[in-house]
Amino acid sequence: MQTLKLLANKKEDIKKASELIKKGEVVGIPTETVYGLGANALDSSAVLKIFKAKGRPQDNPLIIHIADLEMLSKLVLDVNDKTKKLISAFWPGALTIIFKKTDIIPKEISCGLDTVAIRFPNHSVALDIIKTSGVPVAAPSANTSGRPSPTTAKHVFEDLDGKISAIVEDSACDFGVESTVIDMTREIPILLRPGGVTKEEIEKIIGKILVDDAVYSKISDTKKVSSPGMKYRHYAPKAEVIVVCGDAFKTALYIEKNKTKNDGVLCFDEFFEKFENAKSFGSVNDISEQGRQIFAKLREFDETNVQRIFSQCPVDENFGLAVSNRLKKSAGFNVINIEDKIWFLD
Ligand code: TXA
Ligand code: MG
């Protein structure tokens, strides 16, 4: 299949993208988090094309993107008071909410669950495409399953050229990591994936929430997961990744002592000069920049011959939790906590 390259700033290209979606085709679209792979959410065969193009396991449900709250009422059964508060605080934005679903949602989207994930993106091009196509748009991240999520149109071409009908090219994504996912169908709301809207910001609006264990650590193969996406290794470059957590100077020292010539280093800007085969992903205190760069840098390592990548990591607070979670997932939770290893400094 020939993949059309469309431009976000051309009106007729937005129209083309929307028409393709309306016709049941799959199109790469920009959002403020990462690029998505969009199709008509109410068309089972279009939804199946998404799974095929990505090589996505059939039991991993998709997020439905809407462009107004009228669309929401057709897709979900109940919007409780806390959820209403979240919607007015964070939509449109980088927050995906899990609801009880209505029957119009094809089983291919929800993969047998009685819930559905909905997001109202805050991105003019994504909203234009949804409105012009006139249908809710199912969209996972536009990467091959398992690869780092795409934050530029070039990444989408790398993974999906020839496999989808078109890609709408815009600038790089503002957040660079995927939306926060919160399940509001539970008695106590639970964060399933940290992202652009932080746990701290959510708790200011609706009080204490839980965080799923899978955000922090590897879950055993036998445990039932809350979000099917949690059980798959994600964001993984070809090389093995080892995440080194703790004070930035100590982690740099640890990496310096333990890396061999064939290893790469993903570090904060301040330590870039210190290492061979290094890529830096933002200043130590600039978590937003780290979010924007992390997936692109993980991808860049695939063009090198490094066998292992040692990575520094921000603290698990605010947006740092999202960046840290993506790094640890890329490492299959192969994590070294430097504060537990203070002896190595002797
Ligand atoms: O920022 C984003 O959310 C991007 C852009 C394109 O909007 N989309 C995205 O989609 O990251 P995806 O499919 O890569 O990640 C969706 C996650 C998966 O981990 C999936 O398992 C989970 O949401 N999910 C979807 N529906 C769910 C449900 N009903 N219950 C629990 N988890 C669900
Ligand atoms: Mg994804």
Short mmCIF file of all heavy atoms in Angstrom, two decimals, residues 81-140:
data_model
loop_
_atom_site.label_atom_id
_atom_site.label_comp_id
_atom_site.label_asym_id
_atom_site.label_seq_id
_atom_site.Cartn_x
_atom_site.Cartn_y
_atom_site.Cartn_z
N ASP A 81 -19.93 12.01 39.70
CA ASP A 81 -19.57 13.40 40.04
C ASP A 81 -18.07 13.67 39.98
O ASP A 81 -17.63 14.70 39.47
CB ASP A 81 -20.08 13.74 41.46
CG ASP A 81 -21.58 13.91 41.44
OD1 ASP A 81 -22.14 14.06 40.33
OD2 ASP A 81 -22.20 13.89 42.53
N LYS A 82 -17.28 12.71 40.50
CA LYS A 82 -15.83 12.91 40.46
C LYS A 82 -15.34 13.00 39.01
O LYS A 82 -14.46 13.79 38.68
CB LYS A 82 -15.11 11.76 41.16
CG LYS A 82 -15.09 11.91 42.67
CD LYS A 82 -14.20 10.86 43.31
CE LYS A 82 -14.18 11.08 44.82
NZ LYS A 82 -13.54 9.99 45.54
N THR A 83 -15.93 12.16 38.16
CA THR A 83 -15.52 12.16 36.75
C THR A 83 -15.88 13.50 36.09
O THR A 83 -15.09 14.03 35.30
CB THR A 83 -16.17 10.98 36.00
OG1 THR A 83 -15.92 9.80 36.74
CG2 THR A 83 -15.62 10.84 34.60
N LYS A 84 -17.05 14.01 36.46
CA LYS A 84 -17.45 15.33 35.91
C LYS A 84 -16.42 16.38 36.29
O LYS A 84 -16.04 17.25 35.48
CB LYS A 84 -18.82 15.74 36.44
CG LYS A 84 -19.95 15.02 35.72
CD LYS A 84 -21.31 15.50 36.21
CE LYS A 84 -22.40 14.63 35.58
NZ LYS A 84 -23.53 14.39 36.46
N LYS A 85 -15.92 16.29 37.53
CA LYS A 85 -14.91 17.27 37.97
C LYS A 85 -13.62 17.12 37.16
O LYS A 85 -13.01 18.12 36.76
CB LYS A 85 -14.58 17.05 39.45
CG LYS A 85 -15.66 17.54 40.38
CD LYS A 85 -15.17 17.43 41.81
CE LYS A 85 -16.27 17.82 42.78
NZ LYS A 85 -15.98 17.41 44.14
N LEU A 86 -13.22 15.87 36.89
CA LEU A 86 -12.00 15.66 36.10
C LEU A 86 -12.17 16.21 34.69
O LEU A 86 -11.27 16.85 34.13
CB LEU A 86 -11.66 14.17 36.00
CG LEU A 86 -11.11 13.47 37.23
CD1 LEU A 86 -10.73 12.03 36.88
CD2 LEU A 86 -9.89 14.22 37.78
N ILE A 87 -13.35 15.95 34.12
CA ILE A 87 -13.61 16.41 32.75
C ILE A 87 -13.52 17.94 32.70
O ILE A 87 -12.87 18.50 31.81
CB ILE A 87 -15.00 15.92 32.28
CG1 ILE A 87 -14.93 14.41 32.01
CG2 ILE A 87 -15.47 16.68 31.04
CD1 ILE A 87 -16.26 13.77 31.65
N SER A 88 -14.12 18.61 33.70
CA SER A 88 -14.08 20.08 33.58
C SER A 88 -12.69 20.63 33.88
O SER A 88 -12.30 21.66 33.35
CB SER A 88 -15.19 20.75 34.36
OG SER A 88 -14.92 20.68 35.71
N ALA A 89 -11.89 19.91 34.68
CA ALA A 89 -10.54 20.40 34.97
C ALA A 89 -9.54 20.09 33.84
O ALA A 89 -8.64 20.90 33.58
CB ALA A 89 -10.03 19.79 36.28
N PHE A 90 -9.67 18.92 33.21
CA PHE A 90 -8.56 18.47 32.34
C PHE A 90 -8.91 18.20 30.88
O PHE A 90 -8.02 17.86 30.10
CB PHE A 90 -7.93 17.22 32.94
CG PHE A 90 -7.40 17.44 34.33
CD1 PHE A 90 -7.95 16.77 35.41
CD2 PHE A 90 -6.36 18.33 34.56
CE1 PHE A 90 -7.46 16.96 36.70
CE2 PHE A 90 -5.87 18.54 35.84
CZ PHE A 90 -6.42 17.85 36.91
N TRP A 91 -10.18 18.29 30.49
CA TRP A 91 -10.51 18.07 29.07
C TRP A 91 -10.80 19.39 28.40
O TRP A 91 -11.49 20.22 29.01
CB TRP A 91 -11.72 17.15 28.94
CG TRP A 91 -11.40 15.69 28.97
CD1 TRP A 91 -10.18 15.12 29.23
CD2 TRP A 91 -12.32 14.61 28.74
NE1 TRP A 91 -10.29 13.75 29.18
CE2 TRP A 91 -11.59 13.41 28.87
CE3 TRP A 91 -13.68 14.54 28.43
CZ2 TRP A 91 -12.18 12.15 28.71
CZ3 TRP A 91 -14.26 13.30 28.26
CH2 TRP A 91 -13.51 12.12 28.40
N PRO A 92 -10.38 19.63 27.17
CA PRO A 92 -9.51 18.74 26.41
C PRO A 92 -8.11 18.70 27.01
O PRO A 92 -7.65 19.70 27.54
CB PRO A 92 -9.49 19.38 25.01
CG PRO A 92 -9.86 20.80 25.22
CD PRO A 92 -10.72 20.86 26.45
N GLY A 93 -7.45 17.52 26.89
CA GLY A 93 -6.11 17.41 27.45
C GLY A 93 -5.56 16.00 27.45
O GLY A 93 -6.13 15.09 26.85
N ALA A 94 -4.45 15.83 28.19
CA ALA A 94 -3.70 14.58 28.16
C ALA A 94 -4.20 13.58 29.21
O ALA A 94 -3.40 12.92 29.87
CB ALA A 94 -2.21 14.88 28.36
N LEU A 95 -5.50 13.51 29.37
CA LEU A 95 -6.09 12.58 30.35
C LEU A 95 -7.09 11.65 29.66
O LEU A 95 -8.05 12.12 29.04
CB LEU A 95 -6.81 13.35 31.46
CG LEU A 95 -7.45 12.47 32.53
CD1 LEU A 95 -6.38 11.77 33.38
CD2 LEU A 95 -8.36 13.28 33.44
N THR A 96 -6.84 10.34 29.80
CA THR A 96 -7.77 9.33 29.28
C THR A 96 -8.54 8.76 30.46
O THR A 96 -7.94 8.39 31.47
CB THR A 96 -6.98 8.21 28.56
OG1 THR A 96 -6.35 8.77 27.42
CG2 THR A 96 -7.89 7.07 28.13
N ILE A 97 -9.88 8.71 30.32
CA ILE A 97 -10.72 8.24 31.42
C ILE A 97 -11.41 6.93 31.02
O ILE A 97 -11.92 6.80 29.90
CB ILE A 97 -11.78 9.31 31.78
CG1 ILE A 97 -11.08 10.63 32.16
CG2 ILE A 97 -12.69 8.83 32.91
CD1 ILE A 97 -12.04 11.78 32.48
N ILE A 98 -11.39 5.96 31.94
CA ILE A 98 -12.09 4.68 31.70
C ILE A 98 -13.50 4.76 32.28
O ILE A 98 -13.69 5.09 33.46
CB ILE A 98 -11.36 3.50 32.38
CG1 ILE A 98 -9.85 3.52 32.09
CG2 ILE A 98 -12.01 2.17 32.03
CD1 ILE A 98 -9.41 2.96 30.81
N PHE A 99 -14.50 4.45 31.43
CA PHE A 99 -15.91 4.47 31.78
C PHE A 99 -16.52 3.08 31.54
O PHE A 99 -15.94 2.28 30.80
CB PHE A 99 -16.69 5.42 30.85
CG PHE A 99 -16.29 6.86 30.89
CD1 PHE A 99 -15.25 7.33 30.10
CD2 PHE A 99 -16.97 7.76 31.69
CE1 PHE A 99 -14.90 8.67 30.09
CE2 PHE A 99 -16.62 9.11 31.69
CZ PHE A 99 -15.59 9.56 30.90
N LYS A 100 -17.75 2.85 32.06
CA LYS A 100 -18.56 1.71 31.60
C LYS A 100 -19.05 2.05 30.20
O LYS A 100 -19.50 3.17 29.95
CB LYS A 100 -19.78 1.52 32.52
CG LYS A 100 -19.40 1.05 33.91
CD LYS A 100 -19.23 -0.46 33.94
CE LYS A 100 -18.87 -0.89 35.35
NZ LYS A 100 -18.10 -2.13 35.40
N LYS A 101 -18.99 1.07 29.30
CA LYS A 101 -19.27 1.39 27.89
C LYS A 101 -20.72 1.10 27.48
O LYS A 101 -21.39 0.29 28.12
CB LYS A 101 -18.31 0.61 27.00
CG LYS A 101 -18.61 -0.88 26.95
CD LYS A 101 -17.70 -1.53 25.92
CE LYS A 101 -18.14 -2.96 25.62
NZ LYS A 101 -19.38 -3.08 24.88
N THR A 102 -21.16 1.74 26.41
CA THR A 102 -22.47 1.40 25.83
C THR A 102 -22.29 0.31 24.76
O THR A 102 -21.14 -0.02 24.39
CB THR A 102 -23.12 2.62 25.13
OG1 THR A 102 -22.25 3.04 24.08
CG2 THR A 102 -23.35 3.76 26.09
N ASP A 103 -23.42 -0.19 24.25
CA ASP A 103 -23.33 -1.31 23.30
C ASP A 103 -22.89 -0.92 21.89
O ASP A 103 -22.63 -1.80 21.07
CB ASP A 103 -24.70 -2.00 23.20
CG ASP A 103 -25.01 -2.76 24.48
OD1 ASP A 103 -24.04 -3.04 25.22
OD2 ASP A 103 -26.20 -3.04 24.75
N ILE A 104 -22.83 0.39 21.62
CA ILE A 104 -22.46 0.72 20.22
C ILE A 104 -20.95 0.53 19.98
O ILE A 104 -20.50 0.57 18.84
CB ILE A 104 -22.88 2.14 19.79
CG1 ILE A 104 -22.12 3.23 20.54
CG2 ILE A 104 -24.36 2.35 19.88
CD1 ILE A 104 -22.26 4.59 19.84
N ILE A 105 -20.21 0.30 21.05
CA ILE A 105 -18.76 0.16 20.86
C ILE A 105 -18.40 -1.26 20.40
O ILE A 105 -18.75 -2.23 21.07
CB ILE A 105 -18.03 0.52 22.16
CG1 ILE A 105 -18.23 2.01 22.42
CG2 ILE A 105 -16.55 0.17 22.10
CD1 ILE A 105 -17.85 2.47 23.77
N PRO A 106 -17.74 -1.37 19.26
CA PRO A 106 -17.41 -2.71 18.76
C PRO A 106 -16.50 -3.46 19.75
O PRO A 106 -15.67 -2.85 20.41
CB PRO A 106 -16.63 -2.44 17.46
CG PRO A 106 -16.78 -1.00 17.16
CD PRO A 106 -17.25 -0.30 18.39
N LYS A 107 -16.68 -4.79 19.80
CA LYS A 107 -15.90 -5.58 20.75
C LYS A 107 -14.40 -5.51 20.43
O LYS A 107 -13.56 -5.71 21.30
CB LYS A 107 -16.40 -7.02 20.81
CG LYS A 107 -16.31 -7.79 19.51
CD LYS A 107 -16.81 -9.21 19.71
CE LYS A 107 -16.56 -10.12 18.51
NZ LYS A 107 -16.79 -9.57 17.17
N GLU A 108 -14.09 -5.21 19.17
CA GLU A 108 -12.67 -5.11 18.78
C GLU A 108 -11.96 -3.97 19.52
O GLU A 108 -10.75 -3.99 19.69
CB GLU A 108 -12.55 -4.87 17.26
CG GLU A 108 -12.92 -6.06 16.39
CD GLU A 108 -14.42 -6.29 16.27
OE1 GLU A 108 -15.20 -5.41 16.71
OE2 GLU A 108 -14.80 -7.35 15.75
N ILE A 109 -12.71 -2.94 19.93
CA ILE A 109 -12.10 -1.81 20.66
C ILE A 109 -11.86 -2.17 22.11
O ILE A 109 -10.80 -1.91 22.67
CB ILE A 109 -13.04 -0.58 20.63
CG1 ILE A 109 -13.19 -0.08 19.23
CG2 ILE A 109 -12.59 0.48 21.64
CD1 ILE A 109 -12.91 1.35 19.02
N SER A 110 -12.89 -2.77 22.74
CA SER A 110 -12.81 -2.97 24.19
C SER A 110 -12.26 -4.34 24.55
O SER A 110 -11.99 -4.61 25.72
CB SER A 110 -14.19 -2.77 24.81
OG SER A 110 -15.14 -3.49 24.07
N CYS A 111 -12.06 -5.20 23.55
CA CYS A 111 -11.41 -6.50 23.74
C CYS A 111 -12.07 -7.30 24.86
O CYS A 111 -11.37 -7.88 25.72
CB CYS A 111 -9.92 -6.32 24.02
SG CYS A 111 -9.06 -5.43 22.73
N GLY A 112 -13.39 -7.30 24.88
CA GLY A 112 -14.10 -8.15 25.84
C GLY A 112 -14.34 -7.50 27.20
O GLY A 112 -15.06 -8.05 28.03
N LEU A 113 -13.78 -6.31 27.46
CA LEU A 113 -14.04 -5.64 28.74
C LEU A 113 -15.41 -4.95 28.66
O LEU A 113 -15.93 -4.69 27.58
CB LEU A 113 -12.95 -4.58 29.00
CG LEU A 113 -11.51 -5.08 29.05
CD1 LEU A 113 -10.54 -3.91 29.12
CD2 LEU A 113 -11.32 -6.01 30.24
N ASP A 114 -15.99 -4.61 29.85
CA ASP A 114 -17.25 -3.85 29.81
C ASP A 114 -16.99 -2.35 29.99
O ASP A 114 -17.88 -1.58 30.28
CB ASP A 114 -18.24 -4.37 30.86
CG ASP A 114 -17.70 -4.22 32.27
OD1 ASP A 114 -16.53 -3.81 32.42
OD2 ASP A 114 -18.44 -4.50 33.23
N THR A 115 -15.73 -1.98 29.82
CA THR A 115 -15.34 -0.57 29.97
C THR A 115 -14.71 -0.06 28.67
O THR A 115 -14.36 -0.86 27.80
CB THR A 115 -14.28 -0.43 31.08
OG1 THR A 115 -13.19 -1.30 30.78
CG2 THR A 115 -14.86 -0.76 32.45
N VAL A 116 -14.60 1.28 28.59
CA VAL A 116 -13.94 1.87 27.42
C VAL A 116 -13.12 3.09 27.85
O VAL A 116 -13.50 3.81 28.77
CB VAL A 116 -14.98 2.24 26.33
CG1 VAL A 116 -15.92 3.35 26.80
CG2 VAL A 116 -14.28 2.64 25.04
N ALA A 117 -12.00 3.28 27.17
CA ALA A 117 -11.11 4.41 27.46
C ALA A 117 -11.42 5.56 26.49
O ALA A 117 -11.49 5.34 25.28
CB ALA A 117 -9.65 3.97 27.28
N ILE A 118 -11.66 6.76 27.06
CA ILE A 118 -12.00 7.92 26.20
C ILE A 118 -11.05 9.07 26.47
O ILE A 118 -10.71 9.37 27.62
CB ILE A 118 -13.43 8.44 26.49
CG1 ILE A 118 -14.45 7.30 26.52
CG2 ILE A 118 -13.82 9.53 25.48
CD1 ILE A 118 -15.00 6.87 25.19
N ARG A 119 -10.63 9.75 25.37
CA ARG A 119 -9.80 10.95 25.51
C ARG A 119 -10.32 12.06 24.60
O ARG A 119 -10.73 11.78 23.46
CB ARG A 119 -8.34 10.63 25.17
CG ARG A 119 -7.42 11.84 25.29
CD ARG A 119 -5.98 11.39 25.50
NE ARG A 119 -5.14 11.52 24.32
CZ ARG A 119 -4.56 12.66 23.92
NH1 ARG A 119 -4.77 13.78 24.58
NH2 ARG A 119 -3.77 12.66 22.85
N PHE A 120 -10.29 13.28 25.10
CA PHE A 120 -10.67 14.48 24.34
C PHE A 120 -9.36 15.25 24.19
O PHE A 120 -8.93 15.95 25.11
CB PHE A 120 -11.69 15.25 25.19
CG PHE A 120 -12.35 16.45 24.54
CD1 PHE A 120 -13.58 16.89 25.02
CD2 PHE A 120 -11.77 17.15 23.48
CE1 PHE A 120 -14.21 18.01 24.48
CE2 PHE A 120 -12.40 18.26 22.93
CZ PHE A 120 -13.62 18.68 23.43
N PRO A 121 -8.65 15.08 23.07
CA PRO A 121 -7.31 15.66 22.95
C PRO A 121 -7.35 17.19 22.85
O PRO A 121 -8.35 17.77 22.44
CB PRO A 121 -6.77 15.06 21.65
CG PRO A 121 -7.97 14.64 20.89
CD PRO A 121 -9.06 14.34 21.86
N ASN A 122 -6.25 17.81 23.24
CA ASN A 122 -6.14 19.26 23.15
C ASN A 122 -5.15 19.61 22.04
O ASN A 122 -4.04 20.04 22.29
CB ASN A 122 -5.65 19.81 24.49
CG ASN A 122 -5.68 21.32 24.53
OD1 ASN A 122 -6.30 21.95 23.68
ND2 ASN A 122 -5.00 21.91 25.50
N HIS A 123 -5.58 19.33 20.80
CA HIS A 123 -4.68 19.53 19.67
C HIS A 123 -5.55 19.91 18.48
O HIS A 123 -6.41 19.11 18.07
CB HIS A 123 -3.90 18.25 19.40
CG HIS A 123 -2.79 18.41 18.41
ND1 HIS A 123 -3.00 18.43 17.06
CD2 HIS A 123 -1.46 18.58 18.58
CE1 HIS A 123 -1.84 18.58 16.44
NE2 HIS A 123 -0.89 18.69 17.35
N SER A 124 -5.32 21.10 17.92
CA SER A 124 -6.27 21.61 16.93
C SER A 124 -6.38 20.70 15.71
O SER A 124 -7.47 20.50 15.18
CB SER A 124 -5.89 23.02 16.52
OG SER A 124 -4.60 23.00 15.97
N VAL A 125 -5.27 20.08 15.28
CA VAL A 125 -5.33 19.24 14.08
C VAL A 125 -6.11 17.95 14.38
O VAL A 125 -6.99 17.55 13.60
CB VAL A 125 -3.90 18.90 13.58
CG1 VAL A 125 -3.95 17.96 12.40
CG2 VAL A 125 -3.15 20.17 13.24
N ALA A 126 -5.81 17.34 15.53
CA ALA A 126 -6.55 16.11 15.89
C ALA A 126 -8.04 16.42 16.00
O ALA A 126 -8.89 15.67 15.47
CB ALA A 126 -6.02 15.56 17.22
N LEU A 127 -8.38 17.54 16.63
CA LEU A 127 -9.80 17.89 16.81
C LEU A 127 -10.47 18.16 15.46
O LEU A 127 -11.60 17.72 15.21
CB LEU A 127 -9.93 19.10 17.73
CG LEU A 127 -9.54 18.83 19.20
CD1 LEU A 127 -9.52 20.12 20.00
CD2 LEU A 127 -10.48 17.82 19.84
N ASP A 128 -9.75 18.85 14.57
CA ASP A 128 -10.26 19.13 13.23
C ASP A 128 -10.58 17.84 12.49
O ASP A 128 -11.62 17.71 11.84
CB ASP A 128 -9.16 19.83 12.43
CG ASP A 128 -9.54 21.22 12.07
OD1 ASP A 128 -10.52 21.72 12.64
OD2 ASP A 128 -8.85 21.82 11.21
N ILE A 129 -9.67 16.88 12.58
CA ILE A 129 -9.85 15.61 11.86
C ILE A 129 -11.04 14.85 12.43
O ILE A 129 -11.88 14.31 11.69
CB ILE A 129 -8.55 14.76 11.91
CG1 ILE A 129 -7.45 15.45 11.07
CG2 ILE A 129 -8.79 13.34 11.40
CD1 ILE A 129 -6.07 14.83 11.17
N ILE A 130 -11.17 14.82 13.76
CA ILE A 130 -12.30 14.11 14.37
C ILE A 130 -13.62 14.78 13.96
O ILE A 130 -14.56 14.12 13.52
CB ILE A 130 -12.19 14.07 15.91
CG1 ILE A 130 -10.88 13.39 16.34
CG2 ILE A 130 -13.39 13.35 16.52
CD1 ILE A 130 -10.54 13.55 17.82
N LYS A 131 -13.64 16.12 14.07
CA LYS A 131 -14.89 16.84 13.73
C LYS A 131 -15.25 16.65 12.26
O LYS A 131 -16.40 16.40 11.92
CB LYS A 131 -14.73 18.33 14.02
CG LYS A 131 -14.93 18.66 15.48
CD LYS A 131 -14.95 20.17 15.68
CE LYS A 131 -14.65 20.50 17.12
NZ LYS A 131 -13.87 21.72 17.29
N THR A 132 -14.25 16.80 11.38
CA THR A 132 -14.54 16.71 9.95
C THR A 132 -14.96 15.30 9.54
O THR A 132 -15.81 15.12 8.67
CB THR A 132 -13.30 17.17 9.13
OG1 THR A 132 -12.83 18.38 9.68
CG2 THR A 132 -13.62 17.36 7.67
N SER A 133 -14.36 14.28 10.18
CA SER A 133 -14.76 12.91 9.83
C SER A 133 -16.15 12.60 10.41
O SER A 133 -16.85 11.73 9.91
CB SER A 133 -13.72 11.89 10.28
OG SER A 133 -13.69 11.85 11.69
N GLY A 134 -16.52 13.31 11.48
CA GLY A 134 -17.86 13.15 12.05
C GLY A 134 -18.05 11.88 12.87
O GLY A 134 -19.17 11.52 13.21
N VAL A 135 -16.94 11.18 13.18
CA VAL A 135 -17.05 9.94 13.98
C VAL A 135 -16.02 9.97 15.12
O VAL A 135 -14.99 10.65 15.00
CB VAL A 135 -16.78 8.68 13.10
CG1 VAL A 135 -17.88 8.51 12.07
CG2 VAL A 135 -15.40 8.75 12.43
N PRO A 136 -16.31 9.25 16.22
CA PRO A 136 -15.26 9.11 17.23
C PRO A 136 -14.09 8.31 16.64
O PRO A 136 -14.32 7.40 15.83
CB PRO A 136 -15.95 8.32 18.35
CG PRO A 136 -17.18 7.74 17.76
CD PRO A 136 -17.54 8.53 16.55
N VAL A 137 -12.88 8.67 17.03
CA VAL A 137 -11.70 8.07 16.38
C VAL A 137 -10.90 7.22 17.37
O VAL A 137 -10.39 7.73 18.37
CB VAL A 137 -10.81 9.18 15.76
CG1 VAL A 137 -9.48 8.61 15.28
CG2 VAL A 137 -11.54 9.87 14.60
N ALA A 138 -10.83 5.92 17.08
CA ALA A 138 -9.99 5.03 17.90
C ALA A 138 -8.54 5.27 17.51
O ALA A 138 -8.23 5.32 16.32
CB ALA A 138 -10.35 3.58 17.62
N ALA A 139 -7.67 5.46 18.50
CA ALA A 139 -6.26 5.69 18.14
C ALA A 139 -5.31 5.25 19.24
O ALA A 139 -5.26 5.86 20.30
CB ALA A 139 -6.02 7.16 17.81
N PRO A 140 -4.55 4.19 18.98
CA PRO A 140 -3.41 3.88 19.84
C PRO A 140 -2.23 4.71 19.37
O PRO A 140 -2.34 5.44 18.37
CB PRO A 140 -3.17 2.40 19.56
CG PRO A 140 -3.56 2.24 18.12
CD PRO A 140 -4.67 3.24 17.86
#
